[in-house]
Amino acid sequence: MAYYSNSSSVVSKPFAFDEAYIPDRLVGREHEIEKLRTCTEPVRRNLAPLNCWLYGPSGSGKTSVVQSVLNEAQSQFGLRWAY
């Protein structure tokens, strides 16, 4: 028996597979995101940022956490950054 579908694609959000895609919410990384927000807090007041060191195994979400926090700071406070 053949399966037929009215949708044109099996994947509803193909952009989610893009290398640069960051979801709106990083599940399970709330604590790390909050700690990194603390490091960027001085920048929001035109002061030097705190140094922070992220570590963990490959694929654990380090880059995604940083990009998420910096994207948030860019949209809220005009902080400019480059990756």
Side-chain angles (χ1 to χ4, degrees):
M1 178 178 192
Y3 173 76
Y4 296 100
S5 173
N6 292 335
S7 67
S8 62
S9 176
V10 174
V11 179
S12 64
K13 298 179 182 180
F15 60 85
F17 294 105
D18 188 296
E19 184 177 313
Y21 173 73
I22 299 174
D24 295 333
R25 182 170 172 257
L26 296 174
V27 178
R29 292 288 172 242
E30 294 82 4
H31 181 71
E32 290 80 3
I33 288 171
E34 193 55 41
K35 281 185 157 184
L36 192 56
R37 280 185 188 137
T38 301
C39 291
T40 63
E41 183 63 34
V43 176
R44 299 170 189 189
R45 295 176 301 196
N46 289 329
L47 300 172
L50 299 173
N51 293 322
C52 56
W53 178 46
L54 279 71
Y55 62 94
S58 178
S60 62
K62 298 177 298 291
T63 301
S64 295
V65 165
V66 170
Q67 289 178 336
S68 174
V69 169
L70 292 177
N71 281 338
E72 176 185 283
Q74 182 176 7
S75 66
Q76 290 181 357
F77 306 102
L79 176 70
R80 295 185 337 191
W81 65 281
Y83 172 69

